[in-house]
Amino acid sequence: MDDIHLFPLPAIGSLFIIGTSSYPNGSCDGYTALDEPRRNYVFSSSSVPGYPINTDIQRTNIWVRYVGIGGDTVIPQCAPLYYSGVYYPIHLTFTHPQSESETPTTGNACGNTGSCCNYNVAIQVIYCSSGGFYVYRQMNNHPVNYMGYVTYHRNCVADSCGPLAECSTTKNGGCQCVSGYKIPPKHLPTNESYGCQDINECEETANLCGPHSNCTNSPGVYNCSCLEGFVPSDPALALNPTRNPCTDVNECVESEKVCGGFGKCTNTPGNYTCTCYNGYKPDGPFDCQDIDECLNKTVCGPDANCTNSYAAHSCTCLFGYLLTSPDAIASPLNPCLDIDECANTPGLCGLHSVCTNAPGTFHCSCVEGYFSSTGVLWETDVTVCESVDDVLAAIVPPEGQSKEMYFLNQMNQQLMENPDIVLPEGVSTATFTSDISLQVMEANSTDTSSLSARGNTMDINLKALARNNNGTASAVFLTVSGMESLLGASFLQTENHTEMLSDVITATLPKINHTQLSEPVNFTMSHKRRLAEPGLMTCVYWEDRGMEYENGTKGRHWSVNGCWVVFYDENYTVCSCSHLSTFALIMQTGETVSEDNPFLEWVNRMCVIVGLVFFALAILTFLLCSWNPKINNTARLHLCLCLFLSHLLLLLDYTYLTHKLVCSIMAGLLHFLVVASFLWMLLEALQLYLLVQRLSRIQVIQREGLQKKYLFLIGYGIPLVIVGVSAAVKRDGYGGSKVCWLKPEQYFTWAVLGPVCTVLALNWILFCVTIWSLRPTLANMKSDVSQSKDTRLIIFKILAQFVILGCTWVLGLFQSTMVFKYLFIVLNSQQGTFLYIVHCLFNKEVRDEYRKWLGCSSSSSTPDSMKEAPSVSEDLDKAGEERQNKGTRPG
């Protein structure tokens, strides 16, 4: 826009004159400050929200002062149309006063609707010398909408226009962005910032730096550089898109050996290509070498050896392979095929064994429950498979060592003597690795007795054992990875599905006479895989009773006696055992058979559907009925909404359970609704408590409880924070395979249990305190309230409020019996029913509304059995009026 010439005004220094300030009362000391930055006469955007802004049409007989980024003085000359956030700008047609006076300077302000001055508005101006500013008062309304006053900065200082903007002396006090910045078309300036943002010159101007160049934007400026393979025409000068543009670098000319001694260089724009001469192939980016046909893995086909020679090559099959056609040479058309030794020679590995074919060879292993007679080494035609019982029975261990311990030591010795051994992954053998830890401790030692082997640990009180064994005790802790394939999960006598989830560990106390433990030993065992949804975790030990059962099996098996789970998560389990001799401790998962109860599921579904119906009725009633202004139904309405949606999501869980992403989203939404429901229960309890407290102070109840903004902040703000933090801490914590809810890993369910338990505890306390505080109030109520003809109705309302506040959720802690399961389902699914009965059906105003909706006359003579059954709020309201009357009655 063109610059506007503005009349000079006195400087700040000239405003300090000796004397007594004089001005009309309410002008310099009672003005209204207007801080609207868009009033600055240089601001020209017409795309801001709310444009055009109509704020000045009705502002009459009010002293106003303009402050902030927009300016402090109304412009004295015409401004263009559509500037300053309005259609029609207003300017003064007279000179501002330059001294303070009790008599305002009066003149006309002129509105520009097309010819600079179309409408005159009477206006008064006062110069306030104590602050060096002007105040204005519009004397009459101007008749045109979207007409407003335009301002400028009378005296420009460094921060007049805020950050990244400057008060321009060339623009006569107008605000404009510094170089390289501009205001977005739809941005409305604020008092904190004029809104200047960096101009991305690279995006606004296509090919700004010229061809073959990069344009890099920076705050307020931009930089140009040539692409790789290009340089400025004159490298000694700076890049200029018109006078010194980017040109291609001819790498083939600049470097003769760029492609090596046997390659040809071809220049391309910004790059170059190399091609080898015939008979050569690339060897790196700058060299060509003789072609070795054998480097081509397909020249002989798979499973064949290739031998390179001058201008030729030969192919032979690997050991264990034969050509498809023996009369032809090996090639992709005549590949080498693996010889299946296991299929060609039945019984190759012997009795109770498994033969596993492998490319070019085969492996032998024993079936589960059997072990090779030569240990971890398999010797063809020598090794036989023996049962684990026979292997252990044949062992004669050294004194002080168990058979199992000796067996594991021998196997460990074989592994150490044959480090290159490769054992097949079969039914009963795998690659065995072991780790052993030994600790000796005296009775007076201050060290802790903790042993570790391959990520597993054992915590044992060796000091107590040392006191009973001549002052010294020692412990050995051994972990064998792969041993679980021998002593498999099938040795656990259970009907459940079992899985070996850890290494086999062995603990013993060598050379100790008294092995009686003073306290249990704890074993921390790492899982072989991370558990997403753990089943039944069981700590077991290897028990050898040395007897044979009727079915022919011997008394060696995994037992749970004396061992139990202390703690587990998806990564490890802590087991505690009360005995310690020579035993192996493993951990396994079991899929427990759940007892389905179709009738309980049917009752649950029917109760939820009934509850949803009453929730819907209560929501419609709270929204559509005209309520007593003293009753605040906000908490009840939103409690119904949250519970309705959460029950509906649970009811329809099967529709989205199979969709992983949808299931996770619904689980997060359900988490939010459940926490919000309990917080609205807490707010309802708090509303009731505050109402009773007012009664105890003999106050007339104006309106129940807290303001709506605080209710919404607590009811929805806190759940949003809880869900947001939970999702940020554990992104994959929502979902599941059986129900879309919080996954139980790492106690993630406490993200909902913590808030719920806290709210239940507070609701219990508030409910009890409320009932206790209400006793003297009920005693002083009139006979139509405190001595109701049907006292059972009062008791029902109190019990219903107990359910509405969610206190019955405590029944969820007692689900071991079927009675508590049914009570929990029925009571907590019917919160909507109790809400509807107590706050809707028992409210006379609501029943009158129902009659109007049904077309019944409000003066109907039909008897109403609930006319004397007010709601809880009505009860307390009457009680408040009763106590107020008693408190003001002369004594």
Side-chain angles (χ1 to χ4, degrees):
M1 103 182 209
D2 295 333
D3 294 351
I4 298 177
H5 181 269
L6 304 176
F7 291 97
L9 292 171
I12 295 296
S14 66
L15 300 178
F16 294 93
I17 56 176
I18 301 174
T20 303
S21 299
S22 60
Y23 47 78
N25 186 32
S27 58
C28 293
D29 57 354
Y31 60 82
T32 298
L34 300 180
D35 53 354
E36 299 168 288
R38 54 88 186 171
R39 289 185 181 273
N40 191 276
Y41 79 93
V42 179
F43 182 72
S44 60
S45 175
S46 60
S47 303
V48 297
Y51 180 88
I53 301 171
N54 183 20
T55 57
D56 295 332
I57 188 171
Q58 297 297 335
R59 190 177 282 132
T60 59
N61 294 320
I62 297 173
W63 288 105
V64 298
R65 175 189 173 186
Y66 299 100
V67 297
I69 291 177
D72 53 17
T73 307
V74 177
I75 62 173
Q77 285 193 359
C78 185
L81 292 173
Y82 315 128
Y83 271 46
S84 304
V86 296
Y87 278 161
Y88 314 117
I90 303 177
H91 66 277
L92 294 187
T93 61
F94 58 94
T95 303
H96 284 74
Q98 300 188 16
S99 61
E100 192 172 75
S101 173
E102 293 183 356
T103 303
T105 299
T106 303
N108 287 329
C110 197
N112 176 16
T113 62
S115 59
C116 191
C117 188
N118 299 91
Y119 292 96
N120 289 321
V121 183
I123 190 170
Q124 292 181 338
V125 183
I126 289 292
Y127 176 64
C128 301
S129 62
S130 60
F133 59 86
Y134 289 99
V135 293
Y136 305 84
R137 180 167 65 179
Q138 183 175 284
M139 304 303 297
N140 60 292
N141 293 336
H142 58 74
V144 181
N145 288 336
Y146 311 122
M147 182 181 290
Y149 292 93
V150 181
T151 61
Y152 74 103
H153 288 283
R154 183 161 43 92
N155 294 298
C156 288
V157 295
D159 59 348
S160 293
C161 298
L164 301 177
E166 59 185 2
C167 182
S168 174
T169 55
T170 60
K171 295 288 186 179
N172 294 324
C175 288
Q176 64 183 11
C177 294
V178 298
S179 177
Y181 292 82
K182 67 176 182 179
I183 302 177
K186 295 185 179 181
H187 178 76
L188 185 65
T190 66
N191 284 312
E192 288 74 24
S193 171
Y194 201 50
C196 297
Q197 295 184 8
D198 174 51
I199 300 173
N200 193 333
E201 296 86 354
C202 298
E203 290 185 357
E204 292 195 354
T205 305
N207 204 21
L208 178 62
C209 295
H212 312 304
S213 65
N214 277 323
C215 181
T216 305
N217 185 64
S218 299
V221 296
Y222 67 94
N223 297 307
C224 294
S225 61
C226 290
L227 295 174
E228 185 177 359
F230 294 87
V231 294
S233 300
D234 186 351
L237 301 177
L239 171 65
N240 187 287
T242 56
R243 296 188 298 274
N244 192 25
C246 296
T247 58
D248 176 48
V249 177
N250 192 335
E251 294 86 356
C252 297
V253 174
E254 292 194 359
S255 177
E256 295 181 359
K257 298 295 184 180
V258 68
C259 290
F262 303 98
K264 178 183 178 181
C265 178
T266 303
N267 187 62
T268 59
N271 205 343
Y272 67 95
T273 59
C274 292
T275 56
C276 292
Y277 298 140
N278 292 335
Y280 292 87
K281 67 173 182 177
D283 183 18
F286 309 117
D287 200 6
C288 295
Q289 297 291 336
D290 179 37
I291 297 175
D292 183 356
E293 293 85 354
C294 290
L295 294 178
N296 183 358
K297 300 299 182 182
T298 62
V299 68
C300 290
D303 305 317
N305 281 321
C306 178
T307 304
N308 188 58
S309 60
Y310 181 76
H313 67 280
S314 59
C315 300
T316 56
C317 288
L318 296 174
F319 179 80
Y321 292 85
L322 289 176
L323 286 171
T324 306
S325 300
D327 297 334
I329 63 171
S331 69
L333 299 178
N334 187 30
C336 298
L337 300 179
D338 173 50
I339 301 172
D340 190 345
E341 295 86 355
C342 297
N344 293 340
T345 309
L348 179 62
C349 294
L351 192 63
H352 305 302
S353 65
V354 174
C355 181
T356 304
N357 187 61
T361 185
F362 67 97
H363 298 295
C364 294
S365 59
C366 295
V367 298
E368 184 173 338
Y370 289 83
F371 191 72
S372 68
S373 59
T374 54
V376 295
L377 300 174
W378 187 279
E379 299 179 22
T380 305
D381 298 329
V382 174
T383 303
V384 294
C385 292
E386 299 176 337
S387 68
V388 175
D389 291 331
D390 293 337
V391 171
L392 294 176
I395 291 175
V396 180
E399 184 179 354
Q401 195 173 47
S402 66
K403 293 183 178 182
E404 290 84 357
M405 188 68 177
Y406 180 76
F407 173 75
L408 293 175
N409 288 340
Q410 290 293 105
M411 182 182 61
N412 188 45
Q413 185 65 29
Q414 281 187 310
L415 291 173
M416 290 188 294
E417 293 175 353
N418 300 274
D420 298 329
I421 187 173
V422 177
L423 299 179
E425 294 185 357
V427 177
S428 66
T429 60
T431 301
F432 289 91
T433 56
S434 63
D435 189 13
I436 190 168
S437 178
L438 171 66
Q439 186 175 31
V440 180
M441 183 172 290
E442 297 181 353
N444 58 355
S445 176
T446 59
D447 297 335
T448 58
S449 48
S450 179
L451 292 85
S452 177
R454 291 189 60 81
N456 304 311
T457 60
M458 177 179 73
D459 295 312
I460 183 172
N461 189 352
L462 281 180
K463 289 187 289 187
L465 289 169
R467 286 192 291 268
N468 298 326
N469 291 273
N470 301 320
T472 303
S474 60
V476 175
F477 183 56
L478 175 68
T479 297
V480 181
S481 178
M483 187 65 183
E484 67 275 7
S485 63
L486 292 178
L487 307 181
S490 60
F491 287 100
L492 178 64
Q493 298 173 1
T494 178
E495 295 180 356
N496 298 331
H497 171 73
T498 56
E499 176 188 358
M500 299 293 289
L501 200 60
S502 73
D503 294 329
V504 173
I505 63 175
T506 299
T508 186
L509 302 173
K511 298 182 180 180
I512 290 182
N513 298 325
H514 301 88
T515 59
Q516 185 67 33
L517 298 178
S518 59
E519 59 186 65
V521 181
N522 290 333
F523 297 92
T524 302
M525 291 179 286
S526 300
H527 297 170
K528 285 188 171 296
R529 62 177 179 85
R530 184 178 180 271
L531 296 182
E533 295 182 0
L536 176 63
M537 312 299 287
T538 309
C539 297
V540 299
Y541 76 99
W542 186 253
E543 184 177 20
D544 185 359
R545 295 185 179 179
M547 57 180 293
E548 185 170 337
Y549 297 105
E550 294 180 356
N551 58 4
T553 61
K554 295 189 177 181
R556 297 185 178 93
H557 62 279
W558 293 119
S559 174
V560 298
N561 296 330
C563 293
W564 58 93
V565 175
V566 176
F567 170 83
Y568 73 89
D569 63 12
E570 69 269 24
N571 296 314
Y572 66 91
T573 294
V574 178
C575 294
S576 186
C577 291
S578 61
H579 52 81
L580 182 64
S581 56
T582 301
F583 76 106
L585 182 66
I586 68 169
M587 181 179 62
Q588 57 208 6
T589 57
E591 297 178 356
T592 57
V593 180
S594 60
E595 296 182 3
D596 295 332
N597 191 331
F599 181 71
L600 183 66
E601 178 64 24
W602 181 85
V603 170
N604 177 63
R605 187 171 294 275
M606 291 300 104
C607 288
V608 170
I609 292 174
V610 172
L612 288 175
V613 172
F614 281 100
F615 272 130
L617 291 175
I619 291 170
L620 291 174
T621 302
F622 289 142
L623 289 174
L624 301 179
C625 281
S626 300
W627 292 84
N628 189 321
K630 296 181 180 180
I631 298 176
N632 187 348
N633 281 322
T634 302
R636 297 160 194 162
L637 172 60
H638 289 274
L639 172 59
C640 290
L641 287 171
C642 291
L643 286 174
F644 178 85
L645 293 175
S646 60
H647 286 188
L648 184 62
L649 287 179
L650 287 172
L651 188 66
L652 302 177
D653 183 83
Y654 66 93
T655 61
Y656 50 81
L657 183 60
T658 57
H659 302 281
K660 185 176 180 180
L661 178 60
V662 178
C663 182
S664 299
I665 295 173
M666 290 302 179
L669 179 59
L670 186 59
H671 183 195
F672 172 81
L673 291 172
V674 170
V675 176
S677 299
F678 277 88
L679 282 170
W680 283 112
M681 294 178 200
L682 176 61
L683 291 172
E684 174 68 7
L686 185 60
Q687 297 275 76
L688 187 62
Y689 171 74
L690 294 176
L691 186 60
V692 171
Q693 289 298 105
R694 292 192 183 98
L695 293 178
S696 63
R697 294 194 293 268
I698 318 180
Q699 294 180 351
V700 176
I701 301 171
Q702 300 298 329
R703 184 172 177 84
E704 293 183 26
L706 302 172
Q707 298 181 17
K708 283 188 176 182
K709 59 181 180 181
Y710 299 116
L711 294 176
F712 286 119
L713 183 62
I714 297 173
Y716 289 123
I718 294 177
L720 189 62
V721 171
I722 292 174
V723 174
V725 172
S726 301
V729 170
K730 191 171 181 61
R731 293 186 177 181
D732 59 346
Y734 293 98
S737 59
K738 297 181 180 179
V739 63
C740 295
W741 188 229
L742 280 68
K743 296 180 181 178
E745 295 93 336
Q746 294 183 345
Y747 303 102
F748 188 59
T749 51
W750 278 104
V752 68
L753 289 178
V756 168
C757 292
T758 302
V759 170
L760 287 178
L762 292 175
N763 277 4
W764 265 90
I765 295 171
L766 285 174
F767 183 78
C768 295
V769 171
T770 301
I771 296 301
W772 183 263
S773 302
L774 197 60
R775 293 184 308 109
T777 303
L778 293 175
N780 292 322
M781 291 168 63
K782 292 183 179 181
S783 60
D784 61 339
V785 177
S786 61
Q787 299 176 4
S788 176
K789 295 179 181 179
D790 191 0
T791 57
R792 290 175 297 178
L793 195 56
I794 296 294
I795 295 174
F796 172 76
K797 289 189 291 183
I798 293 175
L799 293 177
Q801 194 70 16
F802 183 82
V803 177
I804 291 171
L805 298 183
C807 297
T808 53
W809 279 83
V810 178
L811 292 173
L813 302 175
F814 306 96
Q815 296 296 290
S816 58
T817 62
M818 194 60 65
V819 174
F820 282 109
K821 289 183 179 180
Y822 281 107
L823 282 176
F824 179 77
I825 288 174
V826 172
L827 290 178
N828 291 288
S829 64
Q830 300 307 305
Q831 279 182 279
T833 306
F834 287 108
L835 272 163
Y836 180 72
I837 293 174
V838 172
H839 294 294
C840 298
L841 289 184
F842 283 2
N843 190 299
K844 185 176 183 301
E845 295 176 353
V846 175
R847 295 197 303 274
D848 291 341
E849 291 281 346
Y850 284 170
R851 292 190 183 95
K852 292 179 183 179
W853 295 347
L854 297 174
C856 302
S857 173
S858 60
S859 59
S860 175
S861 59
T862 303
D864 188 350
S865 60
M866 292 186 290
K867 284 184 178 180
E868 301 302 325
S871 69
V872 175
S873 299
E874 288 177 317
D875 283 341
L876 298 179
D877 189 25
K878 291 181 180 180
E881 295 176 357
E882 175 93 7
R883 298 200 64 191
Q884 179 72 16
N885 293 334
K886 287 184 179 181
T888 57
R889 191 178 301 153

mmCIF file of all heavy atoms in Angstrom, residues 589-613:
data_model
loop_
_atom_site.group_PDB
_atom_site.id
_atom_site.type_symbol
_atom_site.label_atom_id
_atom_site.label_comp_id
_atom_site.label_asym_id
_atom_site.label_seq_id
_atom_site.Cartn_x
_atom_site.Cartn_y
_atom_site.Cartn_z
ATOM 1 N N THR A 589 5.187 -73.314 30.639
ATOM 2 C CA THR A 589 3.867 -72.692 30.549
ATOM 3 C C THR A 589 2.839 -73.779 30.391
ATOM 4 O O THR A 589 3.101 -74.830 29.812
ATOM 5 C CB THR A 589 3.770 -71.732 29.349
ATOM 6 O OG1 THR A 589 4.069 -72.457 28.166
ATOM 7 C CG2 THR A 589 4.726 -70.569 29.519
ATOM 8 N N GLY A 590 1.670 -73.544 30.893
ATOM 9 C CA GLY A 590 0.578 -74.502 30.728
ATOM 10 C C GLY A 590 -0.667 -73.770 30.357
ATOM 11 O O GLY A 590 -0.975 -72.706 30.895
ATOM 12 N N GLU A 591 -1.398 -74.308 29.400
ATOM 13 C CA GLU A 591 -2.661 -73.706 29.006
ATOM 14 C C GLU A 591 -3.760 -74.313 29.850
ATOM 15 O O GLU A 591 -4.211 -75.435 29.641
ATOM 16 C CB GLU A 591 -2.945 -73.967 27.525
ATOM 17 C CG GLU A 591 -1.907 -73.326 26.611
ATOM 18 C CD GLU A 591 -2.191 -73.636 25.159
ATOM 19 O OE1 GLU A 591 -3.140 -74.402 24.896
ATOM 20 O OE2 GLU A 591 -1.464 -73.118 24.310
ATOM 21 N N THR A 592 -4.184 -73.577 30.856
ATOM 22 C CA THR A 592 -5.233 -74.062 31.736
ATOM 23 C C THR A 592 -6.558 -74.084 30.998
ATOM 24 O O THR A 592 -6.861 -73.210 30.192
ATOM 25 C CB THR A 592 -5.343 -73.161 32.971
ATOM 26 O OG1 THR A 592 -5.574 -71.820 32.528
ATOM 27 C CG2 THR A 592 -4.040 -73.189 33.768
ATOM 28 N N VAL A 593 -7.324 -75.069 31.294
ATOM 29 C CA VAL A 593 -8.625 -75.229 30.645
ATOM 30 C C VAL A 593 -9.637 -74.366 31.374
ATOM 31 O O VAL A 593 -9.923 -74.574 32.552
ATOM 32 C CB VAL A 593 -9.078 -76.712 30.666
ATOM 33 C CG1 VAL A 593 -10.415 -76.854 29.982
ATOM 34 C CG2 VAL A 593 -8.017 -77.568 29.994
ATOM 35 N N SER A 594 -10.125 -73.361 30.686
ATOM 36 C CA SER A 594 -11.101 -72.467 31.308
ATOM 37 C C SER A 594 -12.475 -73.113 31.288
ATOM 38 O O SER A 594 -12.863 -73.787 30.346
ATOM 39 C CB SER A 594 -11.137 -71.133 30.549
ATOM 40 O OG SER A 594 -11.507 -71.348 29.201
ATOM 41 N N GLU A 595 -13.185 -72.873 32.359
ATOM 42 C CA GLU A 595 -14.532 -73.416 32.475
ATOM 43 C C GLU A 595 -15.521 -72.413 31.908
ATOM 44 O O GLU A 595 -15.779 -71.372 32.503
ATOM 45 C CB GLU A 595 -14.843 -73.695 33.949
ATOM 46 C CG GLU A 595 -13.958 -74.762 34.566
ATOM 47 C CD GLU A 595 -14.354 -75.027 36.007
ATOM 48 O OE1 GLU A 595 -15.337 -74.410 36.470
ATOM 49 O OE2 GLU A 595 -13.701 -75.849 36.658
ATOM 50 N N ASP A 596 -16.040 -72.714 30.712
ATOM 51 C CA ASP A 596 -17.023 -71.831 30.095
ATOM 52 C C ASP A 596 -18.349 -71.936 30.824
ATOM 53 O O ASP A 596 -18.779 -73.018 31.226
ATOM 54 C CB ASP A 596 -17.210 -72.183 28.620
ATOM 55 C CG ASP A 596 -15.937 -71.942 27.823
ATOM 56 O OD1 ASP A 596 -15.168 -71.059 28.236
ATOM 57 O OD2 ASP A 596 -15.732 -72.642 26.817
ATOM 58 N N ASN A 597 -19.006 -70.830 30.994
ATOM 59 C CA ASN A 597 -20.310 -70.783 31.644
ATOM 60 C C ASN A 597 -21.252 -70.026 30.720
ATOM 61 O O ASN A 597 -21.362 -68.797 30.815
ATOM 62 C CB ASN A 597 -20.198 -70.101 33.020
ATOM 63 C CG ASN A 597 -21.478 -70.287 33.842
ATOM 64 O OD1 ASN A 597 -22.575 -70.409 33.287
ATOM 65 N ND2 ASN A 597 -21.324 -70.314 35.152
ATOM 66 N N PRO A 598 -21.924 -70.719 29.808
ATOM 67 C CA PRO A 598 -22.791 -70.023 28.847
ATOM 68 C C PRO A 598 -23.884 -69.217 29.521
ATOM 69 O O PRO A 598 -24.233 -68.131 29.053
ATOM 70 C CB PRO A 598 -23.365 -71.173 27.996
ATOM 71 C CG PRO A 598 -22.417 -72.312 28.192
ATOM 72 C CD PRO A 598 -21.894 -72.175 29.579
ATOM 73 N N PHE A 599 -24.433 -69.751 30.612
ATOM 74 C CA PHE A 599 -25.523 -69.023 31.275
ATOM 75 C C PHE A 599 -25.018 -67.695 31.862
ATOM 76 O O PHE A 599 -25.692 -66.665 31.771
ATOM 77 C CB PHE A 599 -26.137 -69.889 32.378
ATOM 78 C CG PHE A 599 -27.283 -69.213 33.093
ATOM 79 C CD1 PHE A 599 -28.507 -69.015 32.467
ATOM 80 C CD2 PHE A 599 -27.110 -68.743 34.393
ATOM 81 C CE1 PHE A 599 -29.554 -68.379 33.134
ATOM 82 C CE2 PHE A 599 -28.147 -68.109 35.058
ATOM 83 C CZ PHE A 599 -29.377 -67.926 34.428
ATOM 84 N N LEU A 600 -23.812 -67.714 32.491
ATOM 85 C CA LEU A 600 -23.242 -66.491 33.053
ATOM 86 C C LEU A 600 -22.993 -65.473 31.942
ATOM 87 O O LEU A 600 -23.265 -64.277 32.120
ATOM 88 C CB LEU A 600 -21.940 -66.810 33.784
ATOM 89 C CG LEU A 600 -21.249 -65.635 34.488
ATOM 90 C CD1 LEU A 600 -22.099 -65.121 35.628
ATOM 91 C CD2 LEU A 600 -19.883 -66.063 35.008
ATOM 92 N N GLU A 601 -22.500 -65.947 30.786
ATOM 93 C CA GLU A 601 -22.278 -65.052 29.653
ATOM 94 C C GLU A 601 -23.596 -64.483 29.151
ATOM 95 O O GLU A 601 -23.685 -63.300 28.802
ATOM 96 C CB GLU A 601 -21.562 -65.819 28.532
ATOM 97 C CG GLU A 601 -21.318 -65.013 27.270
ATOM 98 C CD GLU A 601 -20.377 -63.860 27.512
ATOM 99 O OE1 GLU A 601 -19.579 -63.939 28.474
ATOM 100 O OE2 GLU A 601 -20.461 -62.868 26.763
ATOM 101 N N TRP A 602 -24.645 -65.319 29.119
ATOM 102 C CA TRP A 602 -25.966 -64.845 28.675
ATOM 103 C C TRP A 602 -26.529 -63.806 29.638
ATOM 104 O O TRP A 602 -27.060 -62.772 29.209
ATOM 105 C CB TRP A 602 -26.918 -66.039 28.568
ATOM 106 C CG TRP A 602 -28.294 -65.648 28.095
ATOM 107 C CD1 TRP A 602 -28.718 -65.491 26.819
ATOM 108 C CD2 TRP A 602 -29.432 -65.378 28.934
ATOM 109 N NE1 TRP A 602 -30.039 -65.129 26.786
ATOM 110 C CE2 TRP A 602 -30.518 -65.056 28.075
ATOM 111 C CE3 TRP A 602 -29.639 -65.385 30.305
ATOM 112 C CZ2 TRP A 602 -31.765 -64.721 28.563
ATOM 113 C CZ3 TRP A 602 -30.893 -65.055 30.795
ATOM 114 C CH2 TRP A 602 -31.946 -64.732 29.939
ATOM 115 N N VAL A 603 -26.403 -64.062 30.953
ATOM 116 C CA VAL A 603 -26.876 -63.099 31.952
ATOM 117 C C VAL A 603 -26.133 -61.774 31.795
ATOM 118 O O VAL A 603 -26.727 -60.693 31.841
ATOM 119 C CB VAL A 603 -26.690 -63.666 33.380
ATOM 120 C CG1 VAL A 603 -26.942 -62.592 34.422
ATOM 121 C CG2 VAL A 603 -27.626 -64.835 33.605
ATOM 122 N N ASN A 604 -24.823 -61.863 31.603
ATOM 123 C CA ASN A 604 -24.018 -60.652 31.444
ATOM 124 C C ASN A 604 -24.486 -59.846 30.235
ATOM 125 O O ASN A 604 -24.669 -58.626 30.309
ATOM 126 C CB ASN A 604 -22.550 -61.028 31.302
ATOM 127 C CG ASN A 604 -21.665 -59.818 31.070
ATOM 128 O OD1 ASN A 604 -21.567 -58.949 31.918
ATOM 129 N ND2 ASN A 604 -21.032 -59.763 29.916
ATOM 130 N N ARG A 605 -24.697 -60.532 29.100
ATOM 131 C CA ARG A 605 -25.114 -59.826 27.887
ATOM 132 C C ARG A 605 -26.490 -59.191 28.041
ATOM 133 O O ARG A 605 -26.716 -58.045 27.651
ATOM 134 C CB ARG A 605 -25.088 -60.798 26.705
ATOM 135 C CG ARG A 605 -25.342 -60.167 25.353
ATOM 136 C CD ARG A 605 -25.085 -61.169 24.244
ATOM 137 N NE ARG A 605 -23.684 -61.531 24.199
ATOM 138 C CZ ARG A 605 -22.778 -60.813 23.536
ATOM 139 N NH1 ARG A 605 -23.126 -59.718 22.887
ATOM 140 N NH2 ARG A 605 -21.533 -61.207 23.516
ATOM 141 N N MET A 606 -27.448 -59.945 28.646
ATOM 142 C CA MET A 606 -28.785 -59.395 28.835
ATOM 143 C C MET A 606 -28.783 -58.192 29.778
ATOM 144 O O MET A 606 -29.455 -57.185 29.539
ATOM 145 C CB MET A 606 -29.717 -60.496 29.392
ATOM 146 C CG MET A 606 -30.030 -61.612 28.404
ATOM 147 S SD MET A 606 -30.871 -61.021 26.891
ATOM 148 C CE MET A 606 -29.497 -61.073 25.733
ATOM 149 N N CYS A 607 -27.997 -58.287 30.870
ATOM 150 C CA CYS A 607 -27.930 -57.178 31.820
ATOM 151 C C CYS A 607 -27.324 -55.939 31.168
ATOM 152 O O CYS A 607 -27.780 -54.811 31.410
ATOM 153 C CB CYS A 607 -27.114 -57.583 33.051
ATOM 154 S SG CYS A 607 -27.951 -58.765 34.137
ATOM 155 N N VAL A 608 -26.300 -56.126 30.361
ATOM 156 C CA VAL A 608 -25.681 -54.989 29.697
ATOM 157 C C VAL A 608 -26.663 -54.332 28.733
ATOM 158 O O VAL A 608 -26.754 -53.101 28.661
ATOM 159 C CB VAL A 608 -24.400 -55.440 28.955
ATOM 160 C CG1 VAL A 608 -23.880 -54.324 28.049
ATOM 161 C CG2 VAL A 608 -23.324 -55.822 29.953
ATOM 162 N N ILE A 609 -27.438 -55.140 27.992
ATOM 163 C CA ILE A 609 -28.414 -54.580 27.050
ATOM 164 C C ILE A 609 -29.482 -53.784 27.802
ATOM 165 O O ILE A 609 -29.854 -52.668 27.405
ATOM 166 C CB ILE A 609 -29.050 -55.713 26.215
ATOM 167 C CG1 ILE A 609 -27.991 -56.324 25.279
ATOM 168 C CG2 ILE A 609 -30.224 -55.192 25.411
ATOM 169 C CD1 ILE A 609 -28.479 -57.535 24.514
ATOM 170 N N VAL A 610 -29.992 -54.345 28.917
ATOM 171 C CA VAL A 610 -30.985 -53.622 29.720
ATOM 172 C C VAL A 610 -30.384 -52.322 30.242
ATOM 173 O O VAL A 610 -31.019 -51.257 30.211
ATOM 174 C CB VAL A 610 -31.469 -54.510 30.882
ATOM 175 C CG1 VAL A 610 -32.344 -53.703 31.839
ATOM 176 C CG2 VAL A 610 -32.244 -55.702 30.347
ATOM 177 N N GLY A 611 -29.141 -52.390 30.749
ATOM 178 C CA GLY A 611 -28.481 -51.188 31.245
ATOM 179 C C GLY A 611 -28.327 -50.142 30.157
ATOM 180 O O GLY A 611 -28.490 -48.941 30.409
ATOM 181 N N LEU A 612 -27.985 -50.566 28.920
ATOM 182 C CA LEU A 612 -27.837 -49.622 27.822
ATOM 183 C C LEU A 612 -29.154 -48.906 27.516
ATOM 184 O O LEU A 612 -29.168 -47.701 27.210
ATOM 185 C CB LEU A 612 -27.339 -50.351 26.572
ATOM 186 C CG LEU A 612 -25.878 -50.815 26.589
ATOM 187 C CD1 LEU A 612 -25.575 -51.638 25.340
ATOM 188 C CD2 LEU A 612 -24.931 -49.621 26.676
ATOM 189 N N VAL A 613 -30.274 -49.630 27.595
ATOM 190 C CA VAL A 613 -31.587 -49.020 27.348
ATOM 191 C C VAL A 613 -31.844 -47.909 28.357
ATOM 192 O O VAL A 613 -32.254 -46.785 28.008
ATOM 193 C CB VAL A 613 -32.692 -50.090 27.406
ATOM 194 C CG1 VAL A 613 -34.069 -49.433 27.345
ATOM 195 C CG2 VAL A 613 -32.529 -51.078 26.258
#
